[in-house]
Amino acid sequence: EKYILSRFLEHPDASIRGRALENIQHLKVTVMPAVDLIAAGLADKQECIRWRSWVALKEMGGPAVPALIMTLEHKQASTRRLAAETLGRIGPPAKDAIPALILRLKDDTPVVRSASLEALRQIGEPKEQIIAAIASSLTDRDPYVREAAVSSLGLIGRGAKNTAPLLKTLKDRDSDESVRDAAS
């Protein structure tokens, strides 16, 4: 049964790929030989396949992490963003992805950087390493990413209190009004 489902993940017809993903999700099947194919679905041309792949990988949890780490290197920014978001939704079981997510904080694309910030926050541990990585994005060249970093630190709460001086500087001096507002 698992072999048959994984074969359908490569079918040229999107509706068949979608049904295979739906069945994997419905049956709560972790098709380990197919996890790379499911992760490849994050780059599918069809939005419904991307979404179903995201859900299936999220529900797989920890076993999907190695394939998602590899997907963080995908050539398409939207696919890297989905991989980061999925790792974040997996949460603490995705802690092996922390080094790869920290590398994505230097990605060329702001949405990938901000998705990586959120994923790091959702993974949560080791807290000091994650707070330091998020704080490093407070000086990002993109205001959207700086704002995401401020929000992530705010959601961490008291654990990030050592970043208060950096946040005060952003509140007083950032060039973007939304970043200043978030920092205050």
Side-chain angles (χ1 to χ4, degrees), residues 61-127:
V65 170
L68 287 164
I69 291 170
M70 298 274 298
T71 306
L72 286 171
E73 299 293 328
H74 196 275
K75 65 182 178 182
Q76 290 179 340
S78 61
T79 303
R80 295 192 306 274
R81 177 188 56 82
L82 278 174
E85 287 178 4
T86 307
L87 287 163
R89 293 297 179 112
I90 291 171
K95 69 179 185 246
D96 290 345
I98 290 172
L101 287 165
I102 290 172
L103 286 175
R104 288 294 107 207
L105 296 178
K106 302 294 183 206
D107 195 277
D108 291 337
T109 309
V111 294
V112 175
R113 296 195 305 270
S114 57
S116 298
L117 283 167
E118 179 61 15
L120 287 166
R121 185 196 63 78
Q122 290 175 315
I123 292 169
E125 294 292 333
K127 194 171 286 283

Side-chain angles (χ1 to χ4, degrees), residues 7-174:
R7 281 187 28 220
F8 286 121
L9 292 173
E10 297 179 290
H11 199 279
D13 185 330
S15 64
I16 292 174
R17 291 192 310 276
R19 293 290 297 202
L21 285 164
E22 192 175 282
N23 284 321
I24 288 168
Q25 180 184 336
H26 176 72
L27 297 172
K28 304 283 189 233
V29 176
T30 301
V31 187
M32 288 312 296
V35 76
D36 292 333
L37 293 172
I38 296 168
L42 294 175
D44 199 278
K45 293 175 186 170
Q46 300 290 321
E47 184 176 345
C48 67
I49 302 299
R50 292 191 304 269
W51 183 81
R52 285 183 176 152
S53 297
W54 180 82
V55 171
L57 291 163
K58 179 180 65 101
E59 289 186 6
M60 280 182 183
V65 170
L68 287 164
I69 291 170
M70 298 274 298
T71 306
L72 286 171
E73 299 293 328
H74 196 275
K75 65 182 178 182
Q76 290 179 340
S78 61
T79 303
R80 295 192 306 274
R81 177 188 56 82
L82 278 174
E85 287 178 4
T86 307
L87 287 163
R89 293 297 179 112
I90 291 171
K95 69 179 185 246
D96 290 345
I98 290 172
L101 287 165
I102 290 172
L103 286 175
R104 288 294 107 207
L105 296 178
K106 302 294 183 206
D107 195 277
D108 291 337
T109 309
V111 294
V112 175
R113 296 195 305 270
S114 57
S116 298
L117 283 167
E118 179 61 15
L120 287 166
R121 185 196 63 78
Q122 290 175 315
I123 292 169
E125 294 292 333
K127 194 171 286 283
E128 295 78 25
Q129 181 184 18
I130 288 174
I131 290 170
I134 293 171
S136 74
S137 292
L138 292 172
T139 58
D140 193 276
R141 64 190 177 274
D142 188 276
Y144 176 74
V145 176
R146 291 194 308 275
E147 185 178 357
V150 169
S151 296
S152 291
L153 290 171
L155 289 168
I156 290 171
R158 292 182 192 263
K161 67 182 175 185
N162 62 342
T163 62
L166 297 170
L167 294 172
K168 183 173 180 353
T169 300
L170 284 177
K171 179 181 93 81
D172 295 339
R173 297 190 188 132
D174 197 87

